[in-house]
Amino acid sequence: MAPKISEEAKEEKRVALLNSALECFSKKGYYATSVDDVVTYSKLSKGSFYNYFKSKEEIFINLMQYQTEKSQEALSKKLNEIPSPTEKIKYMINLDLPMNLYKKKLMRVHLEFWMYSADNPEIKEVMVNRFNHIIENTKAILKEGKDKREFREDLDIDNAASMFWGLHDGIWIHTLVLDDKEIFEAKIKEFETTFLRYIK
């Protein structure tokens, strides 16, 4: 009889596969990546892969959910420690600094996910839920800022939240094309200046 694997060990293998998927999808893209690529990178068996995921699409969805949950948990914990809505906004903007390879990999996979969701209802649902969650959290900070009179009284919270993420994502799209660290970091600082001027 095969030895039982602890829940902790199972989770370690699942995360190892998800991390391998991140590496492969960020390098080759969703369509060019195969299950064999993920398995080879993880140094686990193909059987191990199918113990956790039914297909390449399933690990793709799970990767986005895992990264979203991890980043949102860390962000929420940090924001709860910051009393000022202005400082919360500044913290969110500057999370992207300094730019590094890991952040670039995440954004490449996020862009793949956005594009693939257009043709896949299941992935689109994951993306819409993720987007709505992020927007609602941003709107809550903007409302807090209005309530505390840190932000202007006539601020349209819905428009401001959409603008925030439009600027953020637009900067990243340009960066993935241009691949210039200095330009990226200058744009992030300009993003901070421009957005704070808009909401104040």
Side-chain angles (χ1 to χ4, degrees), residues 3 6 10 13 27 50 53 69 76 82 85 91-93 98 114 117 120 129 138 157 162 178 185 190:
S6 69
K10 286 181 182 178
K13 281 191 174 183
K27 286 179 182 175
Y50 286 111
F53 307 104
E69 289 167 8
S76 295
I82 303 173
Y91 177 80
M92 288 171 65
I93 292 171
W114 293 338
S117 70
N120 186 299
N129 290 338
T138 308
I157 290 173
S162 294
L178 299 174
E185 294 186 352
E190 186 61 27

Side-chain angles (χ1 to χ4, degrees), residues 14-197:
R14 189 181 81 88
V15 170
L17 286 164
L18 290 170
N19 288 334
S20 298
L22 173 64
E23 293 292 332
C24 295
F25 291 137
S26 69
K27 286 179 182 175
K28 300 179 69 174
Y30 176 77
Y31 290 104
T33 297
S34 66
V35 169
D36 285 340
D37 290 328
V38 177
V39 169
T40 300
Y41 194 94
S42 71
K43 297 183 171 57
L44 296 171
S45 68
K46 202 164 185 177
S48 291
F49 178 94
Y50 286 111
N51 282 336
Y52 297 93
F53 307 104
K54 295 176 183 176
S55 63
K56 177 176 77 169
E57 182 175 276
E58 185 170 291
I59 197 171
F60 194 43
I61 293 170
N62 274 263
L63 173 61
M64 183 55 64
Q65 291 172 325
Y66 171 72
Q67 291 294 339
T68 298
E69 289 167 8
K70 189 169 74 166
S71 62
Q72 287 300 311
E73 182 180 347
L75 179 60
S76 295
K77 183 178 179 181
K78 182 62 182 179
L79 291 178
N80 286 335
E81 298 170 358
I82 303 173
S84 164
T86 299
E87 294 305 314
K88 287 179 181 179
I89 290 292
K90 288 167 70 174
Y91 177 80
M92 288 171 65
I93 292 171
N94 287 284
L95 263 177
D96 288 322
L97 300 178
M99 186 178 78
N100 59 40
L101 183 58
Y102 180 70
K103 291 172 186 173
K104 286 171 66 177
K105 288 175 182 177
L106 285 178
M107 281 308 299
R108 283 175 184 156
V109 173
H110 280 216
L111 285 174
E112 285 276 336
F113 210 76
W114 293 338
M115 290 185 289
Y116 189 50
S117 70
D119 300 319
N120 186 299
E122 185 178 0
I123 290 183
K124 186 172 183 177
E125 183 179 358
V126 174
M127 284 301 297
V128 168
N129 290 338
R130 177 181 179 277
F131 179 78
N132 288 340
H133 180 73
I134 289 170
I135 286 288
E136 290 304 315
N137 285 348
T138 308
K139 285 162 63 175
I141 295 170
L142 294 170
K143 182 179 184 306
E144 181 187 1
K146 283 184 71 172
D147 293 343
K148 290 185 174 180
R149 300 184 183 279
E150 288 187 29
F151 304 155
R152 59 188 172 88
E153 189 177 341
D154 65 342
L155 179 66
D156 186 314
I157 290 173
D158 290 344
N159 285 342
S162 294
M163 179 186 290
F164 181 97
W165 289 106
L167 287 167
H168 173 274
D169 296 342
I171 289 170
W172 264 110
I173 289 170
H174 291 172
T175 298
L176 292 176
V177 173
L178 299 174
D179 198 22
D180 189 307
K181 184 175 185 289
E182 288 186 8
I183 291 176
F184 171 79
E185 294 186 352
K187 284 182 178 179
I188 290 293
K189 297 313 292 184
E190 186 61 27
F191 171 21
E192 178 183 323
T193 301
T194 301
F195 191 74
L196 289 176
R197 188 179 297 136

